Amino acid sequence: MAGKTRKSEASTSSSSGGGETVVSDCGRRKSSCGYCKSTSRTSVSHGLWAHSITVDDYQDLLDRGWRRSGSFLYKPEMEKTCCPSYTIRLRASDFVPSKEQQRVSKRMQRFVDGTLEVKKSVEATKDPSISASACSEASSSGTKESLSNKNKEKNVGDHITNYLSEQVDNVIRTCSESGQFPCSVQLPKASVKKVSQAKRKLLVEGAEDLMYSSSIAFQIAATIRKAQSIAKDASRSAEDNPLSPKIIAEKLAASLDQLANINGLAIRACNGHINFYTATTQVSSNEDSHIALGAQESATERKDFSLRKSSVHPQGKRRRLDIRLKRSSFDPEEFALYRRYQINVHNDTLDLVSESSYRRFLVDTPLVPVQPTGDSRVPPCGFGSFHQQYVIDGRLVAVGVIDILPKCLSSKYLFWDPDFAFLSLGKYSALQEIGWVKENEVHCPSLQYYYLGYYIHSCSKMRYKAAYCPSELLCPLRYQWVPFDIARPLLDRKPYVVLSDFVLLQNGESSQPLVPENVMEVQGDENHNEDSNDVLIDGGGDDDEDDDDEFESSDDDSGPDSIGQTSVEVENGSTTSYWPWREIGIPVA
């Protein structure tokens, strides 16, 4: 660390049941950047080493743009660093989930209920101790049976689409004979296709049961329009044309109503498409209940099929999901999951994912724990650093590393089992943590916010945090909270912005810096004395700032740190090897 460390008397928190805050100034740090992938030392921040810190004091530091990695506190020097990082928070009671976030919750619920089709690899590796070779042998032995089943399913699917296409053709022929379509035009054959799982995920809410679709209305409209053009009879635009794709699809869907009643399908026209839905919402979008075709025998061997639910893939068994909150401590099972995650998701090598680095990063904490007091000042779990475990049928599948503070839940990191990536555990854990804040605000009214860590507008992987609405960003100069919708157009123009300037100018107020005097801020003054490197932060119990919180957890970029050794330049120009937690360096013990 830069400078000397000296002893200092500790302050006592005014509202968290005692404890002391003692930190040492590490000075300015320059390093390569993991966000913009800069190889030069363009990432600039200031660091503190926390020997101990009360939850009130750490809450105050969060509200001034600081953040911790293990026992190391750091704050980007916003005007100098290549990728300015703005603290982002969300008031939990105001949270409005998006359609995608709702789908994540529903997918997990279907998985727990046993109605979501599970990949065999997940079922085969319920015991994490099973070796890769054992899984490979099991997979090899079942290859023939698997291929046979796939071929059977493909044949069933082909029968369904062929049957539906034939029925649509019959309706088109009827419309032509009745004069609804020009009888002089040779119309194309209908083609009904199965809607893929990937496309279903992109559909609007409520369309999970869409199974098949046809775009024949567009082809019919184009054929008629071309024929009219040749006949020089296209005086009206397609929008005014009574035979536009939308009108054609509605005519065909109406005529197919009888088919729906016979075969248990709901058929609707949607923007020119003819969509076939399962008639019951009990059938999941992952086809746990498949639709099969049964041919009705007749003397003329006419293909008159009927649709019915198949019992080949019955509903799976229900699963048990437990979410457990425990104080931060080393757990061998958690460490094993962390190693799997870092190696498989972030491509780390085994030698970089050591127990000591894991302990420094996600277990060690300088926060002084506060036990429950039985009143409204502290939630039932207390304050401090915690690990939130997600356990499915006794198997640990994800761990969220969080800090619970007087005003917020601050989400620090999430690691999860790669076998369960299809559950979007990063998003699911964020929704659970937001829900936790809502529930515990009843017990502790001051605990209102969810902190998502740093938001970096110039880094596309970090923009997912703004999807949790309505969020706020912290102004890097006046430490006022600015709605993200106001900040976004400003950040589109340049990476560093004094966000509160825009709000003050709108209100016609002065734009002079407003920094509360009751908190000592370590800003990395280039002229500070070496003997002043040991800094004592006053207790923050009487903080005048607004409430705030933060979070960091993602499917794509699940945490703030990459494990590995790098060189970090300290303010005096010397260079030392450090284990970086994101763009900051922590000395190797």
Side-chain angles (χ1 to χ4, degrees):
M1 288 186 280
K4 298 178 181 178
T5 302
R6 63 183 181 133
K7 294 182 179 179
S8 30
E9 295 184 5
S11 64
T12 302
S13 173
S14 60
S15 64
S16 57
E20 61 182 16
T21 292
V22 180
V23 299
S24 299
D25 186 12
C26 299
R28 174 180 291 167
R29 300 301 175 86
K30 296 180 180 180
S31 70
S32 58
C33 181
Y35 298 117
C36 64
K37 307 302 180 183
S38 170
T39 55
S40 57
R41 304 192 203 296
T42 57
S43 179
V44 184
S45 60
H46 198 93
L48 299 174
W49 184 265
H51 304 278
S52 65
I53 186 169
T54 66
V55 292
D56 291 289
D57 291 343
Y58 185 54
Q59 176 73 67
D60 289 339
L61 287 174
L62 285 181
D63 294 345
R64 283 153 187 82
W66 290 80
R67 187 162 172 76
R68 81 174 182 90
S69 180
S71 295
F72 189 75
L73 308 178
Y74 59 97
K75 176 180 179 179
E77 294 194 9
M78 299 287 278
E79 292 184 85
K80 298 182 176 68
T81 192
C82 56
C83 296
S85 308
Y86 298 82
T87 301
I88 183 170
R89 75 174 186 178
L90 164 76
R91 191 184 188 100
S93 60
D94 294 339
F95 173 60
V96 179
S98 66
K99 290 179 179 179
E100 170 59 24
Q101 290 160 354
Q102 291 174 3
R103 280 194 285 270
V104 169
S105 295
K106 290 180 180 180
R107 190 183 308 136
M108 174 62 82
Q109 187 59 55
R110 294 201 304 272
F111 179 72
V112 172
D113 290 342
T115 60
L116 183 68
E117 184 178 342
V118 182
K119 294 181 179 180
K120 291 185 178 180
S121 61
V122 174
E123 297 294 343
T125 56
K126 280 186 177 179
D127 183 358
S129 64
I130 296 177
S131 66
S133 60
C135 292
S136 177
E137 290 175 6
S139 175
S140 177
S141 63
T143 299
K144 291 184 179 179
E145 181 180 354
S146 176
L147 290 174
S148 176
N149 290 336
K150 285 183 179 179
N151 289 333
K152 289 180 182 178
E153 291 177 10
K154 184 179 184 301
N155 291 335
V156 169
D158 289 343
H159 281 306
I160 296 173
T161 54
N162 291 339
Y163 169 70
L164 294 177
S165 298
E166 187 176 304
Q167 299 306 309
V168 175
D169 279 335
N170 291 338
V171 171
I172 293 173
R173 189 180 307 111
T174 301
C175 289
S176 295
E177 293 172 352
S178 64
Q180 297 182 59
F181 298 158
C183 57
S184 60
V185 179
Q186 181 67 38
L187 299 179
K189 290 286 186 180
S191 176
V192 176
K193 295 183 178 180
K194 186 176 180 180
V195 180
S196 68
Q197 179 65 27
K199 289 183 179 179
R200 283 183 222 169
K201 291 180 180 179
L202 300 176
L203 296 172
V204 296
E205 195 66 26
E208 291 88 355
D209 300 318
L210 173 60
M211 300 295 292
Y212 305 95
S213 182
S214 175
S215 59
I216 185 60
F218 291 91
Q219 300 170 42
I220 292 176
T223 301
I224 294 175
R225 187 163 54 248
K226 184 176 180 180
Q228 289 175 336
S229 177
I230 294 174
K232 297 183 179 180
D233 190 26
S235 57
R236 289 176 291 187
S237 67
E239 193 171 307
D240 297 326
N241 193 334
L243 293 180
S244 66
K246 184 176 181 181
I247 298 299
I248 292 173
E250 290 174 353
K251 285 179 178 291
L252 296 178
S255 300
L256 287 166
D257 273 345
Q258 185 177 2
L259 174 68
N261 294 332
I262 293 174
N263 297 298
L265 287 175
I267 303 176
R268 295 194 296 274
C270 181
N271 296 325
H273 294 273
I274 304 173
N275 292 337
F276 298 80
Y277 303 81
T278 51
T280 171
T281 57
Q282 297 302 315
V283 180
S284 77
S285 63
N286 288 282
E287 303 170 26
D288 296 294
S289 299
H290 287 270
I291 296 177
L293 289 170
Q296 294 182 346
E297 295 182 359
S298 65
T300 59
E301 296 185 355
R302 180 172 174 267
K303 291 182 180 178
D304 186 12
F305 297 107
S306 64
L307 301 176
R308 69 175 185 274
K309 292 179 185 177
S310 171
S311 60
V312 175
H313 297 280
Q315 177 173 312
K317 68 172 184 178
R318 288 184 57 84
R319 298 175 178 84
R320 178 184 177 88
L321 170 63
D322 294 311
I323 302 178
R324 305 166 182 168
L325 188 66
K326 59 186 281 288
R327 291 277 179 181
S328 180
S329 62
F330 180 79
D331 182 327
E333 186 180 10
E334 289 184 358
F335 174 57
L337 177 61
Y338 172 77
R339 292 204 340 173
R340 285 195 66 214
Y341 170 78
Q342 292 295 140
I343 292 171
N344 289 279
V345 177
H346 290 294
N347 299 315
D348 283 351
T349 56
L350 189 61
D351 60 310
L352 293 181
V353 192
S354 65
E355 181 180 320
S356 59
S357 66
Y358 169 73
R359 286 178 179 270
R360 286 197 302 269
F361 175 28
L362 296 177
V363 178
D364 294 348
T365 174
L367 296 187
V368 178
V370 177
Q371 301 302 323
T373 58
D375 56 26
S376 61
R377 293 182 304 146
V378 181
C381 64
F383 292 132
S385 299
F386 295 83
H387 285 191
Q388 185 148 288
Q389 298 180 331
Y390 295 80
V391 181
I392 296 178
D393 287 346
R395 175 177 175 178
L396 183 67
V397 299
V399 177
V401 181
I402 60 177
D403 291 328
I404 297 176
L405 305 172
K407 297 178 183 178
C408 74
L409 183 155
S410 171
S411 187
K412 184 178 184 302
Y413 200 78
L414 178 86
F415 52 95
W416 38 266
D417 191 328
D419 287 341
F420 291 82
F422 65 94
L423 289 176
S424 301
L425 291 168
K427 294 173 184 174
Y428 182 77
S429 66
L431 297 174
Q432 290 300 309
E433 289 166 1
I434 293 171
W436 186 94
V437 175
K438 285 183 180 180
E439 294 173 3
N440 282 271
E441 186 178 353
V442 176
H443 307 291
C444 180
S446 67
L447 206 167
Q448 301 177 11
Y449 292 90
Y450 181 58
Y451 279 50
L452 295 85
Y454 286 140
Y455 173 81
I456 303 174
H457 195 65
S458 58
C459 179
S460 59
K461 280 193 173 183
M462 302 298 284
R463 292 196 178 190
Y464 73 88
K465 296 182 180 183
Y468 298 87
C469 303
S471 56
E472 301 173 298
L473 298 183
L474 183 68
C475 174
L477 181 62
R478 298 184 184 86
Y479 307 120
Q480 297 173 349
W481 293 99
V482 177
F484 178 78
D485 288 341
I486 292 178
R488 177 171 51 192
L490 304 176
L491 295 173
D492 284 338
R493 291 197 287 269
K494 56 182 180 177
Y496 173 71
V497 181
V498 179
L499 299 174
S500 57
D501 275 354
F502 184 80
V503 177
L504 291 174
L505 289 174
Q506 277 190 327
N507 298 334
E509 300 177 18
S510 169
S511 60
Q512 294 299 315
L514 302 173
V515 181
E517 297 179 356
N518 67 323
V519 175
M520 179 181 292
E521 181 79 52
V522 181
Q523 292 287 2
D525 183 0
E526 295 188 17
N527 297 319
H528 70 264
N529 293 327
E530 188 175 284
D531 290 338
S532 65
N533 282 333
D534 208 12
V535 181
L536 186 64
I537 310 282
D538 283 340
D542 299 324
D543 182 18
D544 293 328
E545 291 285 326
D546 292 338
D547 299 344
D548 37 43
D549 349 48
E550 76 171 351
F551 151 85
E552 205 153 85
S553 172
S554 159
D555 295 334
D556 298 326
D557 180 18
S558 296
D561 312 295
S562 59
I563 306 301
Q565 196 170 21
T566 189
S567 294
V568 179
E569 184 179 328
V570 187
E571 180 63 26
N572 60 13
S574 62
T575 301
T576 312
S577 292
Y578 287 94
W579 292 91
W581 305 130
R582 192 155 295 200
E583 72 272 24
I584 310 301
I586 297 181
V588 178

